Amino acid sequence: MVTTIVIIAVIAVLVLWVISVQNKLVKLDELSNNALKQINVQQVSRFDALKALAKLTKDYAAYESEQIEKMFAARNMSSSARPTVAEINGNEAALAGIASRLIAVAEQYPELKASDNYAKTMSSVKEYEENVRLSRMTFNDTVTKFNQQVRMFPGSLVAGPLGFAPKEYLAEDKSKTEYPEL
């Protein structure tokens, strides 16, 4: 009788532990998914700010503006319900290319750079850039915590059978364009 109670107690403790680990993994998984979604939302906002900046260049540089419009048309920046790390990295590369092109055009036209609209739009682009940077840091921090749970003993005993696998980190963009000071 005592042996049966001890066995039941051990099984109950193990079940509660598995449930606890599974809940922690789900929580970290959802936090990382949310962080990735936040990056996507900020990228879409930055994309919109860059579009506004491109409209400002139309009056100054018709050819460059046409090329930039083609870049926007080629890149459909949507706020996906479940963005992937590859999509976020691809968006980041595209945004950096568009931004550097716009900045190069603005450098050629001092009167454009001097306009209040340019300064305000550039300020909002920089703000979204900072938001993306902070969101990327949050995502990678969350992924670190999740991956630790998935890979470390004893959590790894539960993670594998329940289908949890380590997540991919966001790549660091080494070619990040520095925005000019206003």
Side-chain angles (χ1 to χ4, degrees):
M1 180 71 169
V2 172
T3 306
T4 305
I5 292 173
V6 169
I7 291 173
I8 290 173
V10 168
I11 291 173
V13 167
L14 284 174
V15 167
L16 290 174
W17 174 76
V18 168
I19 290 170
S20 172
V21 170
Q22 191 268 349
N23 285 342
K24 188 170 189 174
L25 288 168
V26 168
K27 178 182 173 187
L28 290 170
D29 186 45
E30 286 302 316
L31 284 172
S32 65
N33 289 338
N34 180 53
L36 203 58
K37 177 66 177 164
Q38 294 303 319
I39 295 167
N40 187 233
V41 168
Q42 294 299 329
Q43 285 179 328
V44 169
S45 297
R46 192 169 76 206
F47 186 73
D48 291 341
L50 288 171
K51 274 185 169 180
L53 197 59
K55 286 180 185 175
L56 290 172
T57 65
K58 270 188 178 178
D59 295 336
Y60 294 90
Y63 173 76
E64 288 92 341
S65 180
E66 183 180 309
Q67 297 305 309
I68 291 166
E69 290 294 328
K70 287 179 183 177
M71 291 173 77
F72 279 114
R75 188 73 196 178
N76 183 15
M77 189 75 56
S78 66
S79 185
S80 173
R82 294 216 29 131
T84 66
V85 169
E87 288 172 334
I88 294 296
N89 285 334
N91 289 347
E92 201 61 32
L95 287 167
I98 292 169
S100 65
R101 186 82 179 254
L102 283 168
I103 291 167
V105 169
E107 291 294 323
Q108 296 172 12
Y109 298 94
E111 61 275 10
L112 171 62
K113 279 182 65 175
S115 79
D116 285 341
N117 284 340
Y118 177 84
K120 288 176 186 173
T121 306
M122 200 59 192
S123 177
S124 85
V125 167
K126 289 173 84 171
E127 179 182 332
Y128 290 124
E129 174 69 23
E130 180 65 11
N131 291 345
V132 168
R133 187 185 72 76
L134 293 172
S135 296
R136 289 172 66 89
M137 288 173 34
T138 300
F139 174 78
N140 281 341
D141 287 347
T142 306
V143 166
T144 296
K145 292 173 188 171
F146 177 82
N147 287 349
Q148 286 172 341
Q149 279 295 125
V150 168
R151 295 179 60 216
M152 288 174 41
F153 182 82
S156 60
L157 296 174
V158 175
L162 292 179
F164 292 99
K167 291 184 174 281
E168 184 180 352
Y169 290 95
L170 289 171
E172 179 183 350
D173 185 3
K174 300 207 185 309
S175 66
K176 184 61 78 184
T177 301
E178 291 295 323
Y179 292 104
E181 292 302 316
L182 301 176

